[in-house]
Amino acid sequence: MVDFNSTSFHPATFQLTGFPGQEAAHHWISIPFCVVYITAIVGNCTVLCIIWAERRLHQPMYLFLCMLSVNDLGMSLSTLPTVLGIFCFDVTDVAFDACLAQMFFIHSFSNMGSGILLAMSFDRFVAICDPLRYAAILTNPRIVRIGLAVVIRSFSVVLPLPILIKRLPFCRAEALSHAYCLHPDVMRLACADITVNNIYGLCAILFVFGIDLLLIVISYILILMTIFSIASGGQRLKALNACFSHVSSVLILYIPMITVSVIHRYGEKVPPLVHILMSSIYLFVPPVINPIVYSIKTKEIRKSILKMFSR
């Protein structure tokens, strides 16, 4: 049972949910989750170590890839305590403030991932459309400023979410829908008007993901116009191949994110299992797939990995 604080109307704890009706199989379900976490952590740490060790990889494209790997590690570590707590140790309760902290970091890393992908699209745009000025435009100080701007924007946009949750009273002893805390999931348990939370959450998504996706699409329209103006078919293929990994990362992030946002707000009749699966894909798949895709499709990283294993 969830305990309540009579003075603040905040629950002492929230109850998290794994897979409803499958509690007896939680220990088995923990196996794929452990594999996912190990793969994500090992894969992203490998990418970071290779880029750190190889000075020839200290270039804008790989520095942005480092940012993406750090962000993916942060996303994985944000969900790890509660997910493994439920499936490995049957710990379903999470403290109210701990839940808000987890919610803050999950949404922050998600927003940062979008900003980093936008920065990487700018990198590809400059590399293909203005290659002669590539080194002059994407200098190390400018890359650092871009990274700081992504972090500051993300924290600024997400910080009001726990504040808006704090002002709400909670009167229902219901469980959350997932094994982790998300803003739409927490706010639905409040016994007060959540219009402000809904509006701000939607505006935050449009401001971050909407603008980022629009700019990414515009950059790729310009990239494709430049590519198809190239006479040589081989050069076109090489340019398209250089964008494949980034496009894959964009699709992996945005398709599940948009689906989760729509389901949370308008999918009352959608089965709970669909909510859980789509949220899991949104949070767990990008940190696993991104290092694999970049390791396979990026020649320099692939060569470094093969050299490392050959030793």
Side-chain angles (χ1 to χ4, degrees):
M1 180 65 66
V2 180
D3 297 324
F4 289 87
N5 182 323
S6 59
T7 58
S8 65
F9 299 99
H10 291 159
T13 62
F14 283 120
Q15 186 179 0
L16 300 172
T17 304
F19 286 89
Q22 303 296 323
E23 287 78 10
H26 274 184
H27 291 296
W28 293 105
I29 296 173
S30 69
I31 296 174
F33 277 103
C34 288
V35 171
V36 165
Y37 280 120
I38 292 171
T39 304
I41 293 171
V42 170
N44 285 290
C45 286
T46 300
V47 170
L48 288 171
C49 290
I50 287 173
I51 295 175
W52 178 269
E54 298 284 348
R55 293 192 61 83
R56 59 195 174 86
L57 298 183
H58 295 182
Q59 302 173 26
M61 172 184 171
Y62 300 105
L63 296 178
F64 285 127
L65 180 55
C66 279
M67 294 182 194
L68 186 63
S69 292
V70 170
N71 187 77
D72 286 342
L73 284 172
M75 178 66 84
S76 296
L77 295 176
S78 295
T79 59
L80 186 146
T82 54
V83 171
L84 295 190
I86 286 179
F87 294 115
C88 295
F89 307 106
D90 293 324
V91 177
T92 59
D93 289 343
V94 59
F96 179 77
D97 289 331
C99 183
L100 296 189
Q102 184 184 53
M103 178 185 74
F104 173 81
F105 284 111
I106 288 176
H107 289 293
S108 292
F109 284 119
S110 178
N111 287 357
M112 278 189 273
S114 176
I116 293 167
L117 290 176
L118 174 60
M120 295 175 82
S121 72
F122 178 67
D123 169 78
R124 293 298 83 204
F125 168 76
V126 176
I128 293 173
C129 299
D130 198 0
L132 297 180
R133 298 181 59 215
Y134 180 74
I137 294 174
L138 288 172
T139 60
N140 287 341
R142 187 163 291 165
I143 292 171
V144 171
R145 287 197 293 270
I146 291 173
L148 288 175
V150 169
V151 172
I152 292 171
R153 184 191 69 165
S154 176
F155 282 5
S156 301
V157 170
V158 176
L159 184 59
L161 295 182
I163 296 174
L164 290 173
I165 292 293
K166 276 272 193 180
R167 72 182 181 86
L168 296 173
F170 291 82
C171 309
R172 292 178 291 172
E174 294 184 14
L176 297 174
S177 304
H178 305 291
Y180 36 80
C181 299
L182 297 176
H183 176 252
D185 200 22
V186 174
M187 73 178 181
R188 74 174 178 83
L189 298 184
C191 55
D193 185 12
I194 58 172
T195 302
V196 174
N197 295 68
N198 258 321
I199 292 175
Y200 183 81
L202 183 60
C203 291
I205 290 174
L206 293 175
F207 174 71
V208 176
F209 294 97
I211 292 177
D212 288 355
L213 183 58
L214 177 63
L215 293 175
I216 289 172
V217 170
I218 291 173
S219 69
Y220 269 98
I221 291 173
L222 297 175
I223 287 171
L224 288 175
M225 290 173 60
T226 302
I227 289 175
F228 287 110
S229 67
I230 298 173
S232 170
Q235 289 179 320
R236 289 180 187 176
L237 185 61
K238 183 178 179 181
L240 289 171
N241 189 59
C243 298
F244 176 83
S245 299
H246 179 255
V247 172
S248 300
S249 297
V250 170
L251 295 177
I252 290 167
L253 174 68
Y254 279 97
I255 292 177
M257 184 275 301
I258 293 171
T259 306
V260 167
S261 298
V262 171
I263 287 176
H264 266 299
R265 284 171 171 79
Y266 309 110
E268 292 86 358
K269 298 181 180 179
V270 176
L273 184 60
V274 175
H275 285 260
I276 295 170
L277 290 176
M278 290 309 303
S279 293
S280 298
I281 292 172
Y282 163 54
L283 294 177
F284 302 135
V285 171
V288 173
I289 298 298
N290 285 336
I292 294 175
V293 170
Y294 277 95
S295 297
I296 293 174
K297 296 299 295 181
T298 307
K299 181 181 176 182
E300 297 298 330
I301 294 179
R302 186 172 67 248
K303 286 169 61 178
S304 297
I305 292 175
L306 292 175
K307 185 192 300 184
M308 181 177 65
F309 280 106
S310 67
R311 290 175 181 173

